[in-house]
Amino acid sequence: MKTIEKLAALRQIMWENKIDAYIIPMTDPHMSEYVATHWHAIKWFSGFSGSTANVVVTQNFAGLWTDSRYFIQAETQLKESGIELVKLKVPHTAEYIDWLNKTLNVDSVVGFDGKVFSVGIAQAMKIVFERKNIKLNADFNFISDLWTDRPEIPTNEVFNHDIKYAGQRRTEKIATVREKMKERNIDYHLLSSLDDIAWLFNLRGSDISYNPLFISYALISQNEAILFVDNKKLPAELKTNLENDKIAIKPYDEIYSALSNMKDSEVNLAQLSKTNYSLYKSIPNTCSIIDEVNITTILKSLKNETEIDNIRETMVKDGVAMVKFLYWLEQTVGKEKITEISAGEKLLSFRKEQNNFFGESFGVISAYKAHGAMPHYSATEESNVELKSEGLYLVDSGGQYFGGTTDITRTVTLGKLTDEEIRDFTLALKGTISLAMAVFPQGTKGVQLDVIARKALWDNKMNYGHGTGHGVGFFLNVHEGPQSISSRDSGNTETVLQPGMLTSDEPAFYRAGKHGIRIENLILVVEDEENEFGKFLKFETVTLCPIDTEPVDVNLLTKEERYWLNNYHNEVYRELSPYLDDLHKNWLKEKTSAI
Amino acid sequence: MKTIEKLAALRQIMWENKIDAYIIPMTDPHMSEYVATHWHAIKWFSGFSGSTANVVVTQNFAGLWTDSRYFIQAETQLKESGIELVKLKVPHTAEYIDWLNKTLNVDSVVGFDGKVFSVGIAQAMKIVFERKNIKLNADFNFISDLWTDRPEIPTNEVFNHDIKYAGQRRTEKIATVREKMKERNIDYHLLSSLDDIAWLFNLRGSDISYNPLFISYALISQNEAILFVDNKKLPAELKTNLENDKIAIKPYDEIYSALSNMKDSEVNLAQLSKTNYSLYKSIPNTCSIIDEVNITTILKSLKNETEIDNIRETMVKDGVAMVKFLYWLEQTVGKEKITEISAGEKLLSFRKEQNNFFGESFGVISAYKAHGAMPHYSATEESNVELKSEGLYLVDSGGQYFGGTTDITRTVTLGKLTDEEIRDFTLALKGTISLAMAVFPQGTKGVQLDVIARKALWDNKMNYGHGTGHGVGFFLNVHEGPQSISSRDSGNTETVLQPGMLTSDEPAFYRAGKHGIRIENLILVVEDEENEFGKFLKFETVTLCPIDTEPVDVNLLTKEERYWLNNYHNEVYRELSPYLDDLHKNWLKEKTSAI
C-alpha cells in the first residue's frame, strides 16, 4: 500500500469514527529513547525514517512536523505521499498543538492512541483546547488496524543481572522502594520506563539495540510486586527465582486492567511526563496520582558501592582495550590501510577480548579530520575515508559490560600538528579538566556547572553546540537521566547532582571542514567537605585512558590544570599497567609521562 | 471584627453559595511584586503581615500556607484566630492545591476571586482537580463583601516621563508593539503588569512604595490603544496629550467588558503566568490566546540608547552621592555618633542633593558587623546599633532618578581588619569581578552564568544563599524581569541575555554572627565579537563608586582580576572627579589608586 492509499484509508476510518484530526507520534508506550520496530508507525505510514517527528492528519491536510536536521530528508521521503513537511521552529516541541487549535472548529475531536502519548502532551492539549471545547479521544489505534504486516513486540530472552554486579538483591531494592512509598503514604508505584524496571528487578534483555532492556511494566505495592511481561521471554529457572522473590508475573498488557481495578482513595505514584496517557486514564478517578520524579529513577541514578567497585573494574577493562587500540593505531597508521570503519571494528575487537563484555553501548563515532567536526558522525560506506599519518582522529565509543556501561572519547594526533590544532585541542581539554576539578555545594544542578566546561572556549570566543555531560547507566542506557550537565535545565528542575551519580564530561571544539576535538571521561559525583556553609561535592574521574599530550600547549594550562593532568596520567598508568604486556606498558609509560 | 468572627461569616457565605473551599491569596490583579493596601486581604482577614501566604478555608479547617521565614511570626499572629499555620515544604509553591485535592470530596467546588489569581495557578488546579471532578468558581469575592473598611485603590496622580529620558515617544513604542503583533498575526495585546504599562506609555505614578507605578490595564490593537485607568488620576494636560497621541482613556474596570466584546477568531497575546484569571475568562472562547513572553516586557528590558546615556549620567549622580557618603562616613565614624539608621538617612540626604532624584528604589540596608550577615537586614529602632572605628559596614541602597534606577552595595572597613575578613572580602570580590569580565555566546541564559560569580567561593567551600543578579528597570522597578543571573532558571526558560539588558552583579559572603560582605554593581549586556562560532556578548559595569581596596588580598586575585579592578578605579575617578570639590577629589584619588 502506498502512503497516499494509507492516508485515504485512515481518513475513511476517521470519518466513520467522527475523528476530526488524528495524531501519530514516534514514541513507544515506555517513552523510550530508542524504540523497537513494532512502534515505528511513522516510518511505516509515511516512509520518513528520521528519529523524531509527529504526523497529524485531518480530512484536508496531512503534515509531518520535524526539526531542521531532517528537513532535506523529509522532503525527499515524503514526495508524492500526500503528507507535507511542517518545519518545527523549536526542536522537540509539540508545535502541532497550536496548529490544531487554530485549524479545528469549536467542538472538534482529536484522536490518538493513548498508549504512545505521554500524559504531559495530553494535558498540554487539554489546556490549549479547553477554550474551543475540542475533545480528546485517546482510544483509537487506527494505525494498528491498517498495519497488517506490523513487526511483533520483541520476545527476546530476559536474563538475570548477578548480585555481584548489582550489589543489591531485587528484594532489597523493592524493600527500599516500599519504604519510600510508606514515608509518602503511597499505595502503588507504577513503573513503565524500561531501564527503571531492569534496574529494580536486576534483570536485563536485548529487545532494543545498544540498550540491554526488555519490554515490560511493573507495579509495586506493600504486598505485591508485579512484573507485566510476555511469559515466553522468561526462562523457567528465572521464573522460579522471581517467584521465590515474591514477584508475580502477569501478561504485558494486563497492566491496564490491574490499574483499573485499584480501590477508591488509593494513591499512586507515577512520573507523568514519562507515563503514557492510557496508563494514566486506566487509574480510577477516585484514586489520587502523585506526579513526582520516579523513586526508582533516583535510586538507580545513585550508584551503590558494589556498582561503583564494578565501574572501577570495568574502567580498567575498557581502558586496557582503549590502550591496545591506540597503540595499534599509532603503530599501524601509514603502514597498513586503516579506514574509519575498520578502526571502529578493530576497537570493538579489543573490547571483545575483555571479560564480561556484552556489546557496544552505542554506535561508534570513528571520525578522521573534517569528519570529526560533525559531533554525531557515523561512517558509512560512502563517507568512509582512510586514516593517514597526519591530522587529528576522534573516536567516541563505549561498551556494555555486566559490570557497567562505558562512554569515552579520545582525539589523537596521527602526525604533525598545526598551531591552530594545538590551541583548539588545549582549550577544549581545559574544559574537560576544569569540570573534573569542580567543587560545588549540595543542591547544585547540572545546568549551573555547564559553563565551567566552556569558559576557556568562551573567553576566546569559541564554543561547542551540544551539552557537556549526560547521565550514564550501569549496564543500562548510555544516556540515563535524571541528571545532566547542559545549558538546558534537564526538564526536571529538581534534578540536583548527588553523590553516586555518574555523568560524562565531554567539552569539545569543532572547526567545520578541518577537525573536531572532544575529550570525554566519565565522572562520578563524590562527597567533599561539609562545613557551616553547606555540604560540598566534587567529581572523581573514573575513565582510565591516556589523553594525547602532543597537541597540548602547556602555556595555556593553569598550574592546577597541569597538575591535574599529570596526576591523572599517573593514575592511568598505575591502574592499567598490571594488565598490559611490556610492549604496551612501555608505550603507556611514555604516553602518561608528566608534561 | 475578630478573625474568628470573620471566619464564621465567611463560612456562612460559603455555605449559602455552595462553595466547599475558599482561597485567599496575597496578590493583586496585576501580579505585582509590591501590592497596594487595597489588596492586603490576608492581613485584614488573618492578622498575618508577612509578604507571602495563601489562606484556604473549608467548613472544617482554615489554614495559612507560608514559608520558613515566617513560621514564628505566623504562629504568633494567628494565635486564637481559628486559622492554623501550614508550613510550606518548598517556598513559593501552591502546595495547598494538593491538600485540597486530598481533602475535598468528588464534585466539590473551590471558590476564589479570579482577579487576584494568575491563570497559571488556576490551570494547575484544573489539571489536578480534573480526576475528582472538583470545579473552580472564580466569580466570588467574599472578602470584599465582609471587608467594610477596605482601603481604596490608590488614586495618586499620574505624570509624564519625558522623552529626553525615555528616548522613544509612546507613539513610537506602540508602533513597534503593533509591528511585532502584525508579524505574529496578533489582533490584541493585553497588558496588565504595571511596569510594562508605565514603560509603554511613558507614564509614571506613585501608587506603590519605591515603584513609580500606577494602577491600570492596557489593550493595544492595530487601531486602538486603550489605557484603563481611573480618570481622576490624570491631570487635564496629560489627558490632552494622551488624546493627541490617539490613546483612549477608559475606566479601570472596563478592561473586562472590553475583552468580553472581542470578536470571533481574534487572537490575543498575553503572558498567562502574569495575567489574572478573570481577564483570561473574559476573553470569548472563540478567540485564540497566544501565551508568550509579553512583547512589551522584552522591549522594556532592552534599554535604548537614550536610556543607556541617561543611565550613565545617573550613575555619575549616584556615584557622587555615594562618594560623599563614604567620605563623610570615614571622616565622622568614631568622632560623632552614627547609627545604622542615621547612616542610611545621611546617604538619602546626599542622594536628595542630586538633580532628578525622585526617591529611594527600595528600603536601604544599612548593616554593621554581624547585621551585615543578614542579606535582607532592615534596621529597626530595636536592632539599630552604633557604627564604631572597627569591622565591616555593608550598605545596599538605590535611587529612583528620572534618568534611571540605581542599586549599589558597598562593604567598607571602618577600622582594623582580621585576616578572615580580608580573605572573605577578596573571595567575594573575585566573584563580582569574574562576572563583570565574563564573555558568553548569544543565547546564554542567566542561570548558566551564576556559577562564574561563585567559583572562587565554591573552590574554598564557601557560598552565598541568594541569586547573583536581578534585572533592573529604568526609573521603574529595581527588580525587573525577565532576565536574572541566578541558580534558578528565571521561570521563563526562553530568557536569554541580550544587549541592552541591565542586571545587578552582587556576589556576597556572609559569616553568621561576624560580618557580611557584598559588592554590587549594575552591569549592562553589550556586544563583543561575532565569528564563525557565534555572536559573543559581554558586560559593561555602569555603577561608578570606589570599591574598598583595604580588605583586598592582592595575592588572591588573578592578574586579569587585578587589572580589571585598577582599570575600573581609573574610570570611577575619571567620571566622578569633575563633579567633586578638591576635598572629595583628593580622597577619591587615593581610594582609586592602583593596587
Side-chain angles (χ1 to χ4, degrees):
Chain A
M1 200 156 45
K2 280 188 190 164
T3 294
I4 201 131
E5 292 162 340
K6 293 172 192 165
L7 196 52
L10 176 60
R11 281 179 171 145
Q12 174 66 24
I13 315 182
M14 285 168 62
W15 186 81
E16 286 161 11
N17 287 278
K18 301 195 168 61
I19 297 291
D20 300 292
Y22 190 72
I23 311 171
I24 312 169
M26 209 171 240
T27 38
D28 71 1
H30 309 280
M31 307 297 130
S32 304
E33 184 182 359
Y34 300 101
V35 169
T37 53
H38 178 79
W39 288 287
H40 286 188
I42 287 189
K43 191 173 174 194
W44 171 80
F45 186 72
S46 72
F48 174 71
S49 64
S51 71
T52 175
N54 283 283
V55 167
V56 177
V57 177
T58 67
Q59 292 299 337
N60 308 314
F61 183 80
L64 180 141
W65 274 250
T66 190
D67 66 53
S68 58
R69 291 175 298 164
Y70 291 115
F71 289 168
I72 294 167
Q73 177 179 337
E75 273 180 5
T76 311
Q77 294 180 330
L78 296 178
K79 202 165 275 177
E80 291 171 23
S81 70
I83 302 173
E84 285 177 41
L85 165 65
V86 186
K87 296 177 175 181
L88 274 178
K89 288 182 206 109
V90 182
H92 309 293
T93 54
E95 288 172 7
Y96 62 83
I97 298 179
D98 276 337
W99 181 86
L100 283 169
N101 190 43
K102 277 184 196 156
T103 308
L104 295 180
N105 294 325
V106 171
D107 299 325
S108 296
V109 177
V110 173
F112 55 88
D113 174 9
K115 285 190 185 173
V116 290
F117 259 77
S118 78
V119 182
I121 296 284
Q123 286 183 337
M125 287 198 280
K126 273 192 207 172
I127 286 289
V128 174
F129 294 164
E130 185 205 2
R131 300 175 52 79
K132 286 179 93 171
N133 197 34
I134 298 171
K135 295 288 181 204
L136 301 186
N137 192 328
D139 296 327
F140 289 103
N141 187 352
F142 294 149
I143 289 298
S144 264
D145 298 344
L146 296 172
W147 194 357
T148 47
D149 57 346
R150 184 173 189 172
E152 290 297 307
I153 295 175
T155 55
N156 301 325
E157 201 166 276
V158 175
F159 57 93
N160 194 57
H161 192 216
D162 201 277
I163 182 73
K164 73 179 174 198
Y165 303 118
Q168 262 197 310
R169 300 187 183 285
R170 58 178 73 94
T171 47
E172 292 170 305
K173 289 180 175 179
I174 293 168
T176 307
V177 166
R178 282 176 173 148
E179 263 171 51
K180 302 262 175 203
M181 288 167 66
K182 240 183 202 163
E183 281 168 21
R184 290 143 86 180
N185 289 317
I186 284 163
D187 302 303
Y188 286 95
H189 174 32
L190 167 63
L191 277 173
S192 59
S193 39
L194 301 182
D195 59 341
D196 290 320
I197 297 171
W199 178 85
L200 184 62
F201 291 94
N202 289 345
L203 298 175
R204 297 294 188 272
S206 57
D207 288 348
I208 293 166
S209 325
Y210 303 120
N211 295 342
L213 307 174
F214 59 98
I215 309 290
S216 56
Y217 297 105
L219 193 62
I220 312 293
S221 66
Q222 295 300 330
N223 309 316
E224 279 189 306
I226 313 174
L227 185 61
F228 297 86
V229 64
D230 188 338
N231 208 17
K232 58 178 174 286
K233 295 166 81 90
L234 301 174
E237 194 194 329
L238 181 57
K239 214 182 292 182
T240 312
N241 289 342
L242 291 170
E243 277 161 17
N244 290 342
D245 286 342
K246 305 225 179 327
I247 291 160
I249 308 299
K250 294 196 178 174
Y252 174 60
D253 257 331
E254 272 192 20
I255 180 72
Y256 295 93
S257 53
L259 293 176
S260 319
N261 291 330
M262 285 175 61
K263 292 198 200 76
D264 283 8
S265 342
E266 285 184 322
V267 177
N268 198 300
L269 179 84
Q271 187 171 3
L272 294 185
S273 60
K274 294 194 161 191
T275 300
N276 82 54
Y277 190 60
S278 293
L279 290 171
Y280 171 81
K281 291 286 281 183
S282 301
I283 301 169
N285 282 356
T286 47
C287 299
S288 298
I289 297 181
I290 309 285
D291 176 18
E292 277 178 24
V293 180
N294 195 316
I295 295 172
T296 311
T297 303
I298 291 287
L299 292 173
K300 168 170 110 287
S301 74
L302 309 174
K303 273 54 178 175
N304 66 40
E305 277 179 37
T306 309
E307 287 174 327
I308 291 172
D309 288 346
N310 273 290
I311 289 169
R312 289 193 219 281
E313 267 184 49
T314 297
M315 289 299 165
V316 172
K317 291 190 218 297
D318 209 56
V320 166
M322 281 295 295
V323 163
K324 287 183 175 171
F325 169 73
L326 293 172
Y327 173 81
W328 167 84
L329 181 65
E330 192 179 292
Q331 299 301 313
T332 314
V333 73
K335 291 174 193 158
E336 290 170 34
K337 183 174 176 179
I338 307 176
T339 66
E340 292 172 326
I341 291 179
S342 74
E345 285 165 354
K346 190 73 183 177
L347 173 53
L348 178 57
S349 76
F350 287 118
R351 280 207 168 92
K352 281 183 177 164
E353 288 173 8
Q354 299 299 317
N355 283 338
N356 298 330
F357 178 71
F358 181 79
E360 289 175 295
S361 60
F362 58 96
V364 63
I365 297 172
S366 172
Y368 185 45
K369 287 188 172 174
H371 288 167
M374 293 179 267
H376 297 107
Y377 176 71
S378 169
T380 61
E381 289 302 335
E382 293 74 42
S383 72
N384 196 23
V385 293
E386 191 180 340
L387 275 51
K388 299 193 175 148
S389 303
E390 56 184 42
L392 292 167
Y393 168 67
L394 181 157
V395 58
D396 186 352
S397 67
Q400 294 287 7
Y401 298 79
F402 293 117
T405 302
T406 69
D407 184 359
I408 174 173
T409 310
R410 285 295 180 268
T411 307
V412 293
T413 172
L414 300 185
K416 215 178 133 37
L417 290 161
T418 65
D419 288 350
E420 187 181 65
E421 285 169 333
I422 291 173
R423 185 163 175 273
D424 290 352
F425 186 98
T426 310
L427 292 174
L429 176 61
K430 279 171 78 78
T432 307
I433 298 176
S434 298
L435 183 61
M437 295 198 305
V439 174
F440 51 94
Q442 196 159 41
T444 301
K445 293 177 282 180
V447 65
Q448 295 174 257
L449 297 186
D450 182 67
V451 66
I452 292 178
R454 295 180 196 268
K455 192 155 187 337
L457 290 167
W458 285 5
D459 283 347
N460 290 285
K461 334 278 188 222
M462 293 150 73
N463 199 11
Y464 52 94
H466 54 71
T468 298
H470 54 83
V472 175
F474 180 77
F475 186 32
L476 280 173
N477 298 356
V478 75
H479 297 143
E480 175 182 287
Q483 83 279 12
S484 75
I485 298 170
S486 158
S487 60
R488 284 181 160 200
D489 206 316
S490 59
N492 170 24
T493 51
E494 302 305 311
T495 300
V496 299
L497 295 169
Q498 294 182 59
M501 283 183 169
L502 185 69
T503 67
S504 67
D505 170 9
E506 47 182 315
F509 183 67
Y510 308 102
R511 209 174 270 280
K514 288 185 166 178
H515 56 258
I517 292 150
R518 188 160 70 245
I519 299 124
E520 176 190 24
N521 288 328
L522 298 191
I523 53 179
L524 182 73
V525 180
V526 296
E527 290 187 0
D528 193 354
E529 190 181 305
E530 183 164 5
N531 62 26
E532 59 186 305
F533 310 109
K535 191 171 181 173
F536 286 83
L537 306 174
K538 62 184 177 183
F539 292 115
E540 181 192 318
T541 297
V542 292
T543 298
L544 295 167
C545 177
I547 292 165
D548 195 355
T549 51
E550 252 189 87
V552 175
D553 178 352
V554 180
N555 298 319
L556 292 177
L557 298 184
T558 65
K559 202 176 59 187
E560 292 80 10
E561 287 162 356
R562 190 173 174 177
Y563 177 81
W564 184 94
L565 184 59
N566 289 332
N567 199 45
Y568 174 68
H569 274 150
N570 274 340
E571 194 196 338
V572 168
Y573 184 78
R574 191 176 62 239
E575 294 293 327
L576 299 187
S577 56
Y579 304 94
L580 297 172
D581 60 24
D582 283 351
L583 213 60
H584 287 96
K585 207 186 284 190
N586 291 337
W587 180 85
L588 183 61
K589 188 79 196 169
E590 190 200 316
K591 288 288 159 184
T592 56
S593 56
I595 59 165
Chain B
M1 200 159 43
K2 281 187 190 164
T3 294
I4 201 133
E5 292 162 339
K6 292 172 192 164
L7 197 51
L10 175 59
R11 281 178 170 145
Q12 175 67 25
I13 314 182
M14 284 168 62
W15 186 82
E16 287 162 9
N17 287 278
K18 301 194 170 58
I19 298 291
D20 300 291
Y22 190 72
I23 311 170
I24 313 169
M26 208 172 240
T27 39
D28 72 0
H30 309 279
M31 307 296 130
S32 305
E33 183 181 359
Y34 299 101
V35 169
T37 53
H38 178 78
W39 288 286
H40 287 188
I42 287 188
K43 190 172 175 194
W44 170 80
F45 185 71
S46 71
F48 174 71
S49 64
S51 70
T52 175
N54 282 283
V55 168
V56 177
V57 177
T58 67
Q59 293 299 337
N60 307 314
F61 183 79
L64 180 141
W65 274 251
T66 190
D67 66 53
S68 57
R69 291 174 299 166
Y70 291 116
F71 288 168
I72 294 166
Q73 178 179 336
E75 271 179 6
T76 312
Q77 293 181 329
L78 296 178
K79 202 167 275 178
E80 290 170 25
S81 70
I83 301 173
E84 285 178 42
L85 164 65
V86 187
K87 297 178 175 180
L88 273 178
K89 286 181 206 110
V90 182
H92 309 293
T93 53
E95 288 173 8
Y96 62 83
I97 297 179
D98 276 335
W99 181 86
L100 283 168
N101 190 43
K102 278 184 196 155
T103 309
L104 295 180
N105 294 325
V106 171
D107 299 324
S108 293
V109 177
V110 173
F112 55 88
D113 174 9
K115 285 191 186 175
V116 290
F117 258 77
S118 78
V119 181
I121 297 283
Q123 286 183 337
M125 287 199 280
K126 274 191 205 171
I127 286 287
V128 173
F129 293 165
E130 185 206 3
R131 301 175 51 78
K132 287 179 92 170
N133 198 33
I134 297 170
K135 296 286 180 205
L136 301 186
N137 192 328
D139 297 326
F140 289 103
N141 187 351
F142 294 151
I143 290 299
S144 264
D145 299 345
L146 296 172
W147 194 357
T148 48
D149 58 346
R150 183 173 189 171
E152 289 298 307
I153 294 175
T155 55
N156 301 327
E157 200 167 278
V158 175
F159 57 93
N160 194 56
H161 192 217
D162 201 278
I163 182 71
K164 73 180 174 197
Y165 304 118
Q168 262 196 309
R169 300 187 183 286
R170 58 178 75 94
T171 47
E172 294 170 304
K173 289 180 175 179
I174 292 168
T176 308
V177 166
R178 282 176 174 149
E179 262 170 53
K180 302 259 174 206
M181 289 168 65
K182 240 183 203 161
E183 282 167 22
R184 290 144 85 181
N185 290 317
I186 284 163
D187 303 302
Y188 286 96
H189 175 32
L190 167 64
L191 276 174
S192 60
S193 39
L194 302 181
D195 57 342
D196 289 320
I197 298 171
W199 178 84
L200 183 63
F201 291 94
N202 288 345
L203 298 174
R204 297 293 187 271
S206 57
D207 287 348
I208 294 166
S209 326
Y210 304 120
N211 295 342
L213 307 175
F214 58 99
I215 309 291
S216 55
Y217 298 105
L219 192 62
I220 312 293
S221 64
Q222 294 300 332
N223 309 316
E224 281 189 305
I226 314 172
L227 185 61
F228 298 87
V229 63
D230 188 337
N231 207 16
K232 58 177 174 288
K233 295 166 81 90
L234 300 175
E237 196 195 329
L238 181 57
K239 215 181 296 183
T240 312
N241 289 343
L242 291 171
E243 278 160 18
N244 290 342
D245 287 340
K246 307 225 177 327
I247 291 160
I249 308 297
K250 296 196 176 172
Y252 174 61
D253 258 330
E254 273 192 20
I255 180 71
Y256 294 94
S257 52
L259 293 176
S260 320
N261 292 330
M262 284 174 62
K263 292 197 199 75
D264 283 8
S265 339
E266 286 185 322
V267 176
N268 199 298
L269 179 82
Q271 187 171 5
L272 294 183
S273 60
K274 293 195 160 187
T275 301
N276 81 53
Y277 189 62
S278 293
L279 291 172
Y280 171 81
K281 292 285 281 183
S282 300
I283 301 171
N285 281 356
T286 47
C287 299
S288 297
I289 298 180
I290 309 284
D291 175 18
E292 277 177 24
V293 180
N294 195 317
I295 296 173
T296 311
T297 303
I298 291 287
L299 292 174
K300 169 171 109 287
S301 74
L302 308 175
K303 273 55 179 174
N304 66 39
E305 278 180 38
T306 310
E307 287 174 327
I308 291 173
D309 288 346
N310 274 290
I311 288 169
R312 289 192 218 281
E313 267 185 50
T314 297
M315 289 298 165
V316 172
K317 292 190 215 300
D318 209 57
V320 166
M322 280 295 294
V323 163
K324 287 183 176 170
F325 169 72
L326 292 172
Y327 172 82
W328 166 86
L329 182 64
E330 192 179 291
Q331 299 300 313
T332 315
V333 73
K335 292 173 191 158
E336 291 170 32
K337 183 176 176 179
I338 307 175
T339 66
E340 292 172 325
I341 291 178
S342 74
E345 286 164 352
K346 190 75 183 175
L347 174 53
L348 177 57
S349 77
F350 286 119
R351 282 209 167 90
K352 281 182 178 163
E353 288 173 9
Q354 299 298 317
N355 282 339
N356 298 330
F357 179 71
F358 182 79
E360 289 175 296
S361 60
F362 59 95
V364 63
I365 297 172
S366 171
Y368 185 45
K369 286 188 172 175
H371 287 167
M374 292 179 267
H376 297 106
Y377 176 71
S378 168
T380 62
E381 289 302 336
E382 295 73 41
S383 71
N384 197 21
V385 293
E386 192 179 341
L387 276 48
K388 299 193 175 145
S389 305
E390 57 184 41
L392 292 167
Y393 168 67
L394 181 156
V395 58
D396 186 352
S397 67
Q400 293 288 7
Y401 298 81
F402 294 116
T405 302
T406 68
D407 184 359
I408 173 173
T409 311
R410 286 294 180 268
T411 307
V412 293
T413 172
L414 300 184
K416 213 176 133 37
L417 290 160
T418 65
D419 289 349
E420 187 180 64
E421 285 168 333
I422 291 172
R423 185 164 175 274
D424 290 352
F425 187 97
T426 310
L427 292 174
L429 176 60
K430 280 171 78 76
T432 307
I433 298 177
S434 298
L435 184 61
M437 294 198 303
V439 174
F440 50 94
Q442 195 160 40
T444 301
K445 294 176 281 180
V447 64
Q448 295 175 255
L449 297 186
D450 182 67
V451 65
I452 292 179
R454 295 180 196 267
K455 192 155 188 336
L457 291 166
W458 285 6
D459 283 347
N460 290 285
K461 334 277 188 221
M462 293 151 73
N463 199 10
Y464 52 94
H466 54 70
T468 298
H470 54 81
V472 176
F474 180 78
F475 186 33
L476 280 173
N477 299 356
V478 75
H479 297 143
E480 174 182 289
Q483 82 279 14
S484 74
I485 297 171
S486 158
S487 60
R488 281 183 161 201
D489 206 317
S490 59
N492 170 24
T493 51
E494 302 306 311
T495 300
V496 299
L497 295 169
Q498 293 182 61
M501 284 183 169
L502 185 69
T503 67
S504 67
D505 169 9
E506 48 182 313
F509 183 68
Y510 308 103
R511 209 173 271 281
K514 288 186 166 176
H515 57 258
I517 292 150
R518 189 161 69 246
I519 299 125
E520 176 191 24
N521 287 330
L522 298 192
I523 53 179
L524 183 72
V525 181
V526 296
E527 290 186 1
D528 194 353
E529 189 181 305
E530 184 164 5
N531 63 24
E532 57 186 303
F533 310 111
K535 191 170 181 173
F536 287 83
L537 306 174
K538 61 184 178 183
F539 292 115
E540 182 191 315
T541 297
V542 292
T543 298
L544 294 167
C545 177
I547 292 166
D548 196 356
T549 52
E550 252 189 88
V552 175
D553 178 352
V554 180
N555 298 318
L556 292 178
L557 298 183
T558 64
K559 202 175 58 186
E560 291 80 10
E561 287 162 356
R562 190 173 173 176
Y563 177 81
W564 183 94
L565 185 58
N566 288 333
N567 198 45
Y568 174 70
H569 274 150
N570 273 341
E571 192 195 340
V572 168
Y573 183 78
R574 192 176 61 238
E575 294 293 327
L576 299 187
S577 55
Y579 305 93
L580 297 172
D581 60 24
D582 284 350
L583 213 59
H584 288 95
K585 208 185 284 191
N586 292 337
W587 180 85
L588 183 61
K589 187 81 197 167
E590 189 200 318
K591 289 288 159 185
T592 56
S593 57
I595 59 165

